[in-house]
């Protein structure tokens, strides 16, 4: 019997976090055994379902798995009866709106019972599953379009993910509750899941049809996660809420400007820690295998959740965004942006960022950050395209420009992240006011400059 109170006292982590951590670490061991299962897909689907259900029960309670079951079953029925609903084009959209609606109600429930809190509950799983099931619905629609020869699906990755038929319920729910990713992700495409189960994922020159040894490959992301343990505990002693406190707002301007970065950067550490562990869990069972590179060497990047260096030391804002929460970024591009890009780059970007905020919940801070970040991303791309070439004509000037751009990008990430962490409008407003809304003023100036600059020859 685990003494959770004692474990919390020793680690400084709350019980809900420790239970999640225990299940993820248990996934490491299960994965090492999983590789030796007989190649019987139905057995694997059943085990994935059973272990996933156990993890959810262990972390929450016996009733919590019902949320994924309801969302999954209703979505499955909609797709199964798509002809009666007007075809897969309509059915896939219905699944999208249904899943987001269910998630929205879940967010409202959480806000009512735990306003402003960061306690782990079923909404985290529901967020991951919303990505999965909406992608699944569009994969079926894409498969139909490809089969019809319409030419609408031109993105190679979407062509690879496309599905030609609705799977069995056992296959579907084995994927829904797939144990390495059911608690904290990452989003796993159904096509990849099936290839993993029937071993076709490993039909190459390196694996030769069987799951290779994953022990060392599992240890690597686990080791990468360890340095983020102490970093993730920093907000316990230096909370971001200090920025909006009387003391924090009374500091000199230069210190308030620096604190915007210093008090938001450690907040990202807990995500890096969780994503590295989730990646290790997926690598352990084999689904993290990403094929071979041009030199025939194996890659283990299929379930990579982020690249922290690309976030913390970015070349530009676009690079920072792409390297953060890669699974969600992938979903945003392929299943939101790609579907609305005919409305123009800026409008498609704003729609995508708005959906991202909606997916996160209804705290005002989410909408402030994602809409601002969407606009900033657009400006950053325009400045990169129009302004940067002028500075790159001289090597020294170009280096200075890149250094200033990186420092500014890192600070902007912290500035925009304030509202995401503080969540509510009044505190976010006070912090932004204390630094004279400098990030948003820079955004407005960037729009003007980008509009006045001509395209480079």
């Amino acid at each position: 019997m685990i003494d959770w109170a004692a474990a919390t006292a020793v680690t400084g982590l709350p019980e809900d976090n420790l239970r999640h951590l225990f299940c993820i670490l248990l996934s490491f061991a299960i994965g090492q055994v999983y590789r030796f299962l007989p190649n019987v897909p139905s057995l694997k689907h059943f085990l994935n379902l059973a272990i996933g259900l156990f993890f959810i029960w262990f972390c929450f309670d016996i009733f919590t798995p019902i949320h994924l079951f309801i969302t999954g079953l209703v979505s499955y029925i909609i797709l199964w009866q798509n002809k009666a609903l007007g075809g897969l084009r309509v059915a896939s959209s219905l699944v999208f709106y249904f899943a987001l609606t269910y998630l929205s109600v879940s967010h409202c429930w959480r806000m009512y019972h735990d306003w402003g809190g960061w306690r782990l509950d079923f909404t985290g799983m529901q967020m991951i599953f919303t990505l999965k099931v909406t992608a699944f619905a569009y994969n079926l629609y894409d498969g139909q379009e490809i089969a019809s020869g319409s030419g609408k699906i031109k993105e190679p990755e979407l062509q690879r993910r496309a599905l030609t038929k609705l799977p069995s319920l056992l296959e579907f729910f084995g994927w829904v509750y797939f144990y390495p990713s059911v608690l904290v992700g990452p989003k796993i495409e159904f096509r990849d899941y099936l290839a993993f189960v029937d071993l076709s994922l490993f039909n190459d020159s390196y694996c030769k049809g069987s799951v290779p040894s994953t022990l060392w490959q599992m240890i690597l992301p686990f080791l990468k996660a360890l340095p983020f343990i102490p970093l993730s505990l920093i907000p316990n002693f230096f909370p971001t809420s200090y920025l909006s406190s009387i003391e924090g707002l009374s500091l000199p301007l230069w210190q308030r400007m620096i604190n915007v970065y210093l008090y938001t950067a450690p907040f990202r550490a807990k995500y890096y820690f969780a994503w590295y562990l989730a990646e290790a869990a997926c690598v352990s069972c084999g689904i993290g295998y990403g094929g071979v590179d041009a030199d025939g060497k194996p890659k283990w990047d299929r379930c990579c959740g982020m690249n922290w260096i690309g976030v913390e030391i970015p070349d530009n804002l676009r690079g920072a965004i792409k390297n953060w929460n890669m699974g969600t970024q992938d979903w945003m591009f392929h299943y939101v942006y790609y579907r609305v890009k005919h409305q123009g780059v800026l409008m498609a970007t704003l729609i995508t960022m708005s959906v991202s905020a909606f997916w996160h919940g209804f705290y005002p801070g989410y909408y402030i950050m994602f809409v601002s970040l969407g606009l900033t991303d657009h400006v950053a791309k325009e400045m990169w395209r129009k302004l940067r070439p002028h500075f790159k004509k001289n090597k020294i000037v170009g280096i200075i420009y890149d250094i200033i751009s990186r420092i500014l990008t890192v600070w902007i990430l912290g500035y925009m992240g304030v509202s995401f962490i503080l969540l509510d409008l009044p505190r976010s407003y006070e912090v932004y006011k204390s630094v004279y809304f400098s990030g948003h003023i820079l955004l407005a100036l960037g729009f003007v400059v980008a509009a006045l600059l001509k395209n480079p020859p």
Side-chain angles (χ1 to χ4, degrees):
M1 190 70 177
I2 300 175
D3 187 343
W4 295 110
T8 296
V10 170
T11 62
L13 296 173
E15 182 179 335
D16 56 350
N17 289 24
L18 289 173
R19 285 180 177 270
H20 276 68
L21 179 59
F22 178 84
C23 288
I24 294 173
L25 295 178
L26 184 58
S27 295
F28 295 178
I30 294 173
Q32 293 303 300
V33 177
Y34 192 100
R35 297 189 301 109
F36 299 103
L37 290 175
N39 190 19
V40 181
S42 58
L43 171 64
K44 295 178 182 179
H45 293 310
F46 177 79
L47 286 175
N48 293 335
L49 170 60
I51 298 171
L53 286 171
F54 169 76
F55 280 0
I56 298 173
W57 167 79
F58 182 82
C59 289
F60 303 106
D61 55 53
I62 197 170
F63 300 106
T64 300
I66 196 68
H67 295 289
L68 298 189
F69 177 77
I70 291 173
T71 318
L73 184 61
V74 172
S75 298
Y76 188 94
I77 292 173
I78 290 173
L79 295 168
W80 175 39
Q81 295 296 320
N82 71 86
K83 292 183 179 178
L85 297 169
L88 277 172
R89 181 178 182 179
V90 174
S92 58
S93 296
L94 285 175
V95 169
F96 185 90
Y97 291 117
F98 166 71
L100 278 177
T101 300
Y102 195 100
L103 177 61
S104 299
V105 173
S106 302
H107 280 314
C108 291
W109 180 91
R110 176 188 173 93
M111 291 171 71
Y112 178 78
H113 290 280
D114 187 30
W115 175 265
W118 290 92
R119 178 175 55 85
L120 295 175
D121 63 11
F122 76 93
T123 55
M125 292 189 308
Q126 201 66 36
M127 290 173 72
I128 298 298
F129 184 62
T130 298
L131 304 184
K132 290 172 60 175
V133 76
T134 51
F136 173 79
Y138 282 124
N139 292 156
L140 281 168
Y141 168 69
D142 293 346
Q144 175 182 274
E145 289 299 309
I146 292 170
S148 70
S150 66
K152 292 181 179 179
I153 312 302
K154 298 177 181 179
E155 178 71 25
E157 183 60 20
L158 287 178
Q159 294 175 358
R160 186 191 71 80
R161 298 174 183 181
L163 301 171
T164 57
K165 65 176 182 178
L166 193 67
S168 69
L169 280 171
L170 180 60
E171 291 173 325
F172 180 73
F173 280 104
W175 167 72
V176 168
Y177 292 101
F178 187 40
Y179 75 90
S181 63
V182 70
L183 292 176
V184 296
K187 172 185 70 69
I188 293 175
E189 294 287 334
F190 189 78
R191 186 74 175 262
D192 294 335
Y193 170 77
L194 285 185
F196 161 73
V197 169
D198 66 18
L199 300 183
S200 60
L201 184 68
F202 308 101
N203 286 335
D204 58 28
S205 58
Y206 177 78
C207 299
K208 297 180 173 60
S210 61
V211 184
S213 174
T214 62
L215 181 59
W216 175 244
Q217 301 300 332
M218 174 198 75
I219 292 174
L220 284 177
F222 173 71
L223 292 177
K224 291 177 182 178
L226 296 181
F228 293 106
I229 295 177
L231 293 175
S232 66
L233 296 176
I234 290 177
N236 293 344
F237 306 98
F238 302 97
T240 310
S241 57
Y242 175 78
L243 295 174
S244 61
S245 68
I246 295 176
E247 183 181 352
L249 294 172
S250 303
L251 294 171
L253 176 61
W254 67 268
Q255 198 167 347
R256 296 198 301 269
M257 297 283 284
I258 294 174
N259 282 350
V260 162
Y261 170 75
L262 292 180
Y263 277 79
T264 54
F267 187 84
R268 295 190 287 270
K270 67 178 182 180
Y271 291 98
Y272 298 144
F273 175 67
W275 287 332
Y276 267 133
L277 290 184
E279 179 184 348
C282 290
V283 167
S284 181
C285 67
I287 198 169
Y289 181 66
V292 295
D293 60 20
D295 298 322
K297 296 180 180 179
K299 299 183 296 181
W300 294 89
D301 57 355
R302 187 178 302 278
C303 297
C304 179
M306 52 76 207
N307 173 14
W308 72 269
I309 295 178
V311 177
E312 303 299 335
I313 315 175
D315 292 329
N316 50 60
L317 186 63
R318 167 59 19 194
I321 293 173
K322 283 187 175 181
N323 284 296
W324 171 263
N325 199 354
M326 292 177 176
T328 303
Q329 294 296 329
D330 176 272
W331 181 80
M332 292 294 175
F333 175 77
H334 287 109
Y335 303 108
V336 182
Y337 182 87
Y338 184 83
R339 316 284 163 168
V340 297
K341 67 177 183 178
H342 61 276
Q343 298 190 31
V345 174
L346 178 58
M347 182 56 66
T349 300
L350 287 176
I351 291 173
T352 302
M353 288 298 185
S354 298
V355 170
S356 180
F358 193 78
W359 176 74
H360 279 86
F362 297 106
Y363 287 110
Y366 294 152
Y367 295 85
I368 295 171
M369 190 194 85
F370 284 108
V371 173
S372 299
L373 207 55
L375 293 170
T376 307
D377 177 47
H378 176 75
V379 170
K381 284 188 290 187
E382 289 295 293
M383 299 290 273
W384 180 273
R385 186 169 61 89
K386 295 180 178 180
L387 183 62
R388 188 171 183 267
H390 296 289
F391 289 92
K392 299 303 287 185
K393 293 177 181 178
N394 181 284
K395 185 176 181 180
I396 301 299
V397 174
I399 292 174
I400 295 173
Y401 174 84
D402 285 343
I403 291 173
I404 294 174
S405 294
R406 291 190 179 197
I407 293 173
L408 189 59
T409 297
V410 167
W411 186 82
I412 284 291
L413 284 174
Y415 175 88
M416 296 300 181
V418 166
S419 62
F420 182 92
I421 301 171
L422 295 180
L423 299 176
D424 61 67
L425 183 59
R427 290 191 298 168
S428 300
Y429 175 81
E430 287 299 324
V431 175
Y432 288 143
K433 180 183 176 183
S434 75
V435 293
Y436 300 100
F437 302 96
S438 47
H440 288 93
I441 290 174
L442 283 173
L443 171 60
L445 290 175
F447 258 107
V448 174
V449 173
L452 294 175
L453 287 173
K454 296 181 179 180
N455 291 321

